[in-house]
Amino acid sequence: MKYFSFFLITAAVWAQSATPPAAAPPSAPPAHSPNPPVANFDVGAHLATVPADTVVATFDDGRKLTIGELTSFLAAMPPNMAQAARRDRKAFVQQFAMMRHLSEMAEKNKLDQQSPTREAIEFNRMYLLMNAQLHDVLTGIKVPPADVESFYNNNKEHFKQVKVKAIYIQFSADNSAPAANAPKHLTEAEAQAKIASLRTALAGGASFVKLVKENSEDATSAAKDGDFGTMRSSDNLPEAIRTAVFALKAGEVSEPVKQPNGFYLFRAEEVGPQPYAEVQEQILNQLREAHFKKWMDDLSAGLNLKVENPAFFTEGGPAPTGK
């Protein structure tokens, strides 16, 4: 029963010391119908999908415990406890029976009416109901498809993408002589002068791909005629690269862009917005979050909380006594 004891200790510690995380809408619960035909206990391939009303155990008072109920309990449990339950289903059901029996004993002994249990029950009840309300509001927000498409059409700059080719010239701060037969490391000044001369050559009509093959030290892109990929507005990019690339029109070459170990030249091959289908879900979520934030802001503004004892909220300042 070592595992059983560990479960009870874990449950006790979790119940007494766990601090709920900052309020956030929980993930959507599984849909329920009055008599769901099947339920999965979610223990992997070792347990097949079975009818939700399949009885797995009977308590001492005659109450039946079904697969469907166990599935619901698992979804509400802390992740570490749920994982342990999935590993040993029989032990979990035994533990569940013990927890149920102990909680009934506590109620008979009126422990739910004593501090600090009474306050913990009330806090957790309030916390769970709060999250249920937030979830209900968030999942109830409906954004018309026309609004999503309109947002896309009016904000295409936010979804800009640029397909680029690049030339990369590396430099090194190490001024020591290279090993025999090793290429000479360019200094920063030498690399800057070389990238500038390449840009001058491009302005005079030189082939970008030819200069890539002859000069670029980015092996990956050089092997693909300089293809550097497609950069999107939502990408996490170094600011210097972002500024240079998204200022380009198709066919234009950037000024040299310095990075920690080298200089880049970028040429924009294609410039335009991401296809609507690629960003539709992103926009939908963004609009839903905006509606939700407004609802929360309006709710907060309407609380009309009145501070009766300002000194209480001053760090280190004791609250004055008074009636």
Side-chain angles (χ1 to χ4, degrees):
M1 300 300 287
K2 180 178 179 181
Y3 178 78
F4 178 59
S5 299
F6 172 77
F7 175 88
L8 292 179
I9 293 172
T10 302
V13 171
W14 173 73
Q16 292 179 15
S17 63
T19 301
S27 57
H32 294 282
S33 59
N35 295 294
V38 296
N40 195 319
F41 192 55
D42 191 28
V43 289
H46 301 294
L47 185 67
T49 300
V50 294
D53 57 359
T54 299
V55 175
V56 296
T58 303
F59 295 118
D60 53 3
D61 60 0
R63 184 195 161 193
K64 309 294 184 183
L65 181 65
T66 67
I67 285 287
E69 289 175 307
L70 284 177
T71 301
S72 298
F73 286 130
L74 277 173
M77 287 171 60
N80 60 327
M81 295 174 66
Q83 185 177 10
R86 292 184 178 99
R87 285 197 300 265
D88 191 338
R89 300 189 296 279
K90 184 176 181 181
F92 170 67
V93 172
Q94 292 173 330
Q95 295 155 9
F96 185 84
M98 177 61 78
M99 289 181 66
R100 181 174 181 269
H101 187 70
L102 287 170
S103 64
E104 290 174 348
M105 288 176 61
E107 288 181 337
K108 289 179 181 178
N109 292 327
K110 301 188 183 303
L111 299 182
D112 56 327
Q113 301 175 28
Q114 300 179 23
S115 293
T117 304
R118 179 184 67 234
E119 292 80 10
I121 291 173
E122 178 56 28
F123 177 81
N124 281 284
R125 177 180 180 275
M126 182 170 57
Y127 181 80
L128 291 170
L129 287 174
M130 172 195 71
N131 277 286
Q133 181 61 52
L134 292 175
H135 177 267
D136 184 67
V137 171
L138 185 59
T139 56
I141 295 173
K142 307 299 181 186
V143 179
D147 288 359
V148 178
E149 189 168 0
S150 176
F151 185 91
Y152 172 78
N153 290 329
N154 293 328
N155 297 275
K156 287 186 177 180
E157 189 66 22
H158 294 174
F159 307 105
K160 187 175 181 179
Q161 63 179 15
V162 184
K163 183 178 180 181
V164 297
K165 288 184 180 292
I167 298 174
Y168 179 65
I169 303 300
Q170 186 175 339
F171 63 77
S172 173
D174 183 4
N175 294 321
S176 61
N181 301 322
K184 177 182 179 295
H185 298 304
L186 297 181
T187 65
E188 181 178 333
E190 291 171 335
Q192 186 172 16
K194 182 173 182 178
I195 202 81
S197 69
L198 293 176
R199 191 177 190 286
T200 299
L202 289 169
S207 165
F208 195 96
V209 172
K210 183 174 183 292
L211 293 184
V212 165
K213 292 180 177 179
E214 294 174 350
N215 299 276
S216 185
E217 296 175 90
D218 179 355
T220 302
S221 62
K224 298 182 291 185
D225 293 339
D227 287 347
F228 200 75
T230 299
M231 300 184 189
R232 299 179 175 84
S233 298
S234 57
D235 291 343
N236 184 17
L237 300 169
E239 193 56 38
I241 292 180
R242 175 184 295 278
T243 300
V245 167
F246 287 101
L248 297 175
K249 296 178 181 178
E252 290 184 340
V253 177
S254 72
E255 294 291 335
V257 179
K258 181 183 175 182
Q259 288 298 283
N261 297 303
F263 290 92
Y264 282 98
L265 284 179
F266 294 104
R267 187 178 77 180
E269 302 299 294
E270 298 175 8
V271 179
Q274 289 178 255
Y276 176 65
E278 288 185 8
V279 297
Q280 182 178 5
E281 191 68 23
Q282 173 189 334
I283 296 173
L284 174 61
N285 290 333
Q286 185 176 339
L287 293 179
R288 290 177 70 236
E289 289 172 6
H291 282 295
F292 181 75
K293 182 180 183 301
K294 183 180 184 307
W295 180 83
M296 285 290 293
D297 290 344
D298 291 344
L299 187 66
S300 180
L303 289 178
N304 295 320
L305 180 67
K306 182 181 179 182
V307 174
E308 301 286 357
N309 193 332
F312 175 79
F313 301 97
T314 302
E315 185 175 356
T321 59
K323 295 183 181 179

